[in-house]
């Protein structure tokens, strides 16, 4: 049976870059959201590579024994020789295997087996959500399925709080030290949460 009262959205309404407040509508699931008209489940070849500024969790060359980061660059070691892992090579590694692609404005795509499986909002694009106070997160995004507090081991300080929306596959990451939202993940698997 079709629900005639279910709200329908066009692709521009669920495009987060054009309508960041769409995340406040808890009837919209992650599979309907897009960044630059890229949806979860799309091929990684849809990403505009000219806007990529970094990668993380990329696979390192098979013969690398360790890695390091300094001076804004990434390196790996083979036989104690430090070799720069150039951005183009890291991008290729992520696109062919897995890892994160970071865009200039703070949007990130996580890729597994050449498929986009997660978005993350950081950097400049997060500014739209930064002024939302912790007490107002559930007023804006809806009631969370789970709230997880992470405490520092060494002094017992509350470090951050995650508001997890399991059905929508959204995690709002609130940095308690800075008193602001410092990341939003969309599409990630939450099955491993305690």
């Amino acid at each position: 049976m079709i629900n005639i009262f279910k709200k329908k959205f066009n692709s521009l309404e669920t495009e987060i870059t054009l309508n960041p407040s769409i995340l406040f509508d808890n009837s919209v699931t992650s599979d309907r959201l897009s960044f630059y008209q890229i949806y979860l489940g799309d091929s990684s070849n849809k990403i505009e590579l000219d806007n990529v500024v970094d990668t993380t969790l990329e696979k390192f060359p098979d013969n690398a024994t360790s890695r390091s980061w300094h001076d804004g660059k990434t390196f790996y070691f083979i036989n104690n020789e430090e070799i720069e892992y150039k951005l183009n090579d890291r991008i290729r590694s992520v696109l062919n295997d897995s890892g994160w692609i970071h865009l200039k404005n703070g949007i990130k795509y996580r890729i597994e087996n050449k498929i986009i499986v997660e978005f993350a909002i950081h950097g400049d694009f997060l500014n739209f959500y930064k002024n939302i106070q912790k007490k107002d997160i559930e007023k804006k995004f809806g009631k969370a399925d789970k709230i997880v507090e992470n405490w520092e081991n060494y002094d017992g300080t509350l470090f951050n709080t995650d508001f997890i929306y399991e059905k929508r596959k959204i995690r709002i990451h609130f940095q308690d030290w800075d008193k602001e939202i410092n990341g939003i993940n969309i599409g990630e698997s939450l099955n491993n949460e305690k």
Side-chain angles (χ1 to χ4, degrees):
M1 182 173 157
I2 297 173
N3 182 351
I4 61 173
F5 299 108
K6 187 174 181 181
K7 186 174 180 181
K8 296 187 184 219
F9 295 93
N10 67 44
S11 62
L12 295 179
E13 290 176 304
T14 59
E15 169 61 42
I16 299 169
T17 60
L18 299 175
N19 183 16
S21 63
I22 193 66
L23 294 185
F24 303 149
D25 187 331
N26 58 22
S27 71
V28 179
T29 54
S30 61
D31 61 324
R32 296 177 61 201
L33 298 169
S34 65
F35 273 110
Y36 303 110
Q37 293 299 298
I38 296 175
Y39 293 84
L40 297 173
D42 280 352
S43 169
S44 60
N45 66 11
K46 290 183 76 176
I47 298 172
E48 178 58 53
L49 299 181
D50 291 340
N51 293 319
V52 176
V53 294
D54 202 2
T55 64
T56 49
L57 298 178
E58 66 278 351
K59 182 180 178 186
F60 276 67
D62 290 335
N63 49 356
T65 56
S66 63
R67 55 184 94 181
S68 68
W69 299 267
H70 54 85
D71 302 323
K73 298 177 181 177
T74 302
F75 300 87
Y76 59 90
F77 290 85
I78 297 177
N79 299 324
N80 293 325
E81 181 183 351
E82 185 177 57
I83 302 166
E84 183 180 352
Y85 201 3
K86 304 249 185 216
L87 180 60
N88 286 339
D89 295 330
R90 290 186 287 132
I91 292 169
R92 192 171 23 264
S93 174
V94 171
L95 294 178
N96 289 328
D97 191 30
S98 65
W100 284 91
I101 295 283
H102 302 231
L103 303 185
K104 292 175 186 172
N105 60 4
I107 302 299
K108 300 176 185 178
Y109 298 103
R110 184 166 62 92
I111 297 164
E112 286 185 7
N113 300 316
K114 302 181 182 184
I115 300 296
I116 297 165
V117 297
E118 184 175 356
F119 304 131
I121 304 171
H122 293 275
D124 293 343
F125 199 84
L126 193 60
N127 290 338
F128 181 84
Y129 309 98
K130 285 249 184 188
N131 291 330
I132 299 172
Q133 295 180 17
K134 184 176 183 178
K135 66 180 180 60
D136 295 328
I137 288 175
E138 290 188 293
K139 291 176 189 171
K140 287 284 194 181
F141 293 93
K143 179 154 178 47
D145 296 307
K146 194 180 299 183
I147 298 174
V148 178
E149 294 180 330
N150 300 295
W151 299 82
E152 288 291 344
N153 290 334
Y154 65 91
D155 68 358
T157 302
L158 181 60
F159 181 64
N160 61 53
T161 305
D162 289 336
F163 293 79
I164 300 169
Y165 298 84
E166 292 173 337
K167 182 179 175 189
R168 296 179 67 205
K169 295 184 179 178
I170 294 176
R171 177 188 309 257
I172 311 299
H173 191 73
F174 186 86
Q175 185 77 40
D176 287 280
W177 283 353
D178 296 330
K179 298 188 180 352
E180 65 185 17
I181 293 174
N182 76 336
I184 299 174
N185 289 62
I186 301 166
E188 69 179 337
S189 171
L190 302 173
N191 296 335
N192 296 328
E193 270 308 314
K194 296 175 183 175

